[in-house]
Amino acid sequence: MAITKRTEQDKIEVVGEFKHIQVRTATVIEEDGVELSRSFHRHTVAPDSDSSNESADVKAMVAQFHTDTVKAAYKKYQEDNAPASE
């Protein structure tokens, strides 16, 4: 009777005007190859995020979708919508 735990990125999607990349990671517990439980963790990679610790699949999507144009538009959006300082 072998119990194993594994993680897999089972969903990676691009959403929104600024091409945020949403990543869902599943943690799967199995006993003798039969799944006992599955839980999920999600995180988002924004155009201004450091993606150096992401998986190769996520890095490929960052390279494709987080172009200089998207990064500049996202930066301008953040600046235009920043809370007013006193």
Side-chain angles (χ1 to χ4, degrees):
M1 181 162 44
I3 295 180
T4 58
K5 175 182 174 181
R6 64 182 169 83
T7 60
E8 60 185 46
Q9 288 183 336
D10 65 340
K11 186 181 282 190
I12 304 171
E13 57 190 356
V14 178
V15 297
E17 177 183 356
F18 302 112
K19 311 297 186 211
H20 284 78
I21 299 171
Q22 295 182 8
V23 182
R24 183 174 81 175
T25 303
T27 301
V28 182
I29 307 296
E30 297 175 324
E31 182 177 357
D32 296 328
V34 177
E35 186 174 311
L36 299 176
S37 73
R38 179 179 292 252
S39 60
F40 300 102
H41 170 78
R42 299 170 193 269
H43 72 278
T44 302
V45 181
D48 63 348
S49 295
D50 175 12
S51 61
S52 62
N53 291 327
E54 298 293 339
S55 69
D57 290 338
V58 174
K59 285 179 183 178
M61 293 189 74
V62 166
Q64 180 178 357
F65 292 103
H66 290 175
T67 62
D68 290 340
T69 303
V70 170
K71 289 179 184 179
Y74 184 63
K75 181 177 180 181
K76 182 174 181 346
Y77 174 81
Q78 288 182 309
E79 290 170 352
D80 291 349
N81 292 286
S85 29
E86 295 180 20

